[in-house]
């Protein structure tokens, strides 16, 4: 959990730089299940047209026996698990977005897209800079944390 939470906190810090209303572990999004935390981060920084419920996932490379891509497998699993509440979220203009990395730091396409959007928003908010540089900064911070996590797990 520690590595997951560190990656979540990195993404949250960048989201918060753009959207001061970003929330960690939001509660109360599903009225029928008020204690459910459907995602790690609720923010408007990651999507153009609605609020994103970002759900961070870290998967062990090679953990999947059914799919050659463990990031894709975890992404699909998370999406299936949240399928029953997606209409409830959509009614609130919230889209559930799993953002997954392998333990070696390779992001799923949805994670890449979210980081790209957040980086563009950060640059717009600052009024200067390069979105690619901000995106590299995010990837470097996440990669460092995943390497630290991987080294700790391997001991």
């Amino acid at each position: 959990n520690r590595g997951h939470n560190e990656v979540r906190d990195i993404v949250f810090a960048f989201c918060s730089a753009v959207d001061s209303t970003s929330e960690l572990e939001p509660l109360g999004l599903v009225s029928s299940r008020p204690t459910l935390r459907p995602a790690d981060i609720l923010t408007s920084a990651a999507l153009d047209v609605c609020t994103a419920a970002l759900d961070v996932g870290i998967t062990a490379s090679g953990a999947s026996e059914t799919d050659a891509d463990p990031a894709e497998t975890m992404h699909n699993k998370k999406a299936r698990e949240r399928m029953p509440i997606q209409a409830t979220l959509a009614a609130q203009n919230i889209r559930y977005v799993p953002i997954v990395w392998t333990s070696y730091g390779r992001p799923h396409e949805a994670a890449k897209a979210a980081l790209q959007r957040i980086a563009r928003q950060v640059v717009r908010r600052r009024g200067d800079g390069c979105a690619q540089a901000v995106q590299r900064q995010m990837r470097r911070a996440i990669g460092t944390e995943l390497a630290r996590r991987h080294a700790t797990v391997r001991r």
Side-chain angles (χ1 to χ4, degrees):
N1 256 5
R2 187 179 146 260
H4 165 276
N5 291 345
E6 293 294 331
V7 170
R8 177 206 61 200
D9 292 348
I10 290 165
V11 175
F12 178 72
F14 281 92
C15 289
S16 295
V18 174
D19 173 15
S20 63
T21 65
S22 294
E23 293 179 54
L24 278 177
E25 306 288 341
L27 290 170
L29 297 178
V30 180
S31 60
S32 62
R33 299 177 63 192
T35 60
L36 178 69
R37 293 181 179 146
D40 295 303
I41 303 166
L42 186 68
T43 185
S44 65
L47 295 173
D48 285 325
V49 296
C50 62
T51 300
L54 301 176
D55 193 7
V56 173
I58 312 295
T59 185
S61 298
S64 171
E65 298 164 5
T66 60
D67 193 334
D69 184 353
E72 184 70 27
T73 299
M74 180 176 244
H75 179 273
N76 293 341
K77 179 183 175 207
K78 284 179 164 289
R80 276 192 311 276
E81 288 172 353
R82 295 299 188 212
M83 189 67 73
I85 64 165
Q86 288 187 23
T88 302
L89 295 176
Q92 300 171 70
N93 201 30
I94 298 170
R95 190 170 91 192
Y96 174 76
V97 181
I99 54 173
V100 176
W101 286 264
T102 67
S103 58
Y104 292 117
R106 185 179 57 77
H108 181 270
E109 290 301 315
K112 284 184 194 178
L115 293 186
Q116 185 177 50
R117 170 72 176 138
I118 294 163
R120 284 195 316 261
Q121 293 282 73
V122 167
V123 168
R124 283 187 194 134
R125 173 68 93 178
R126 289 180 185 164
D128 67 348
C130 170
Q132 289 177 337
V134 172
Q135 196 171 351
R136 279 192 302 273
Q137 184 182 8
M138 284 190 284
R139 285 194 319 253
R140 195 170 22 252
I142 291 166
T144 299
E145 186 50 47
L146 290 174
R148 182 178 300 125
R149 176 184 184 268
H150 189 71
T152 304
V153 169
R154 301 296 276 180
R155 286 184 188 177

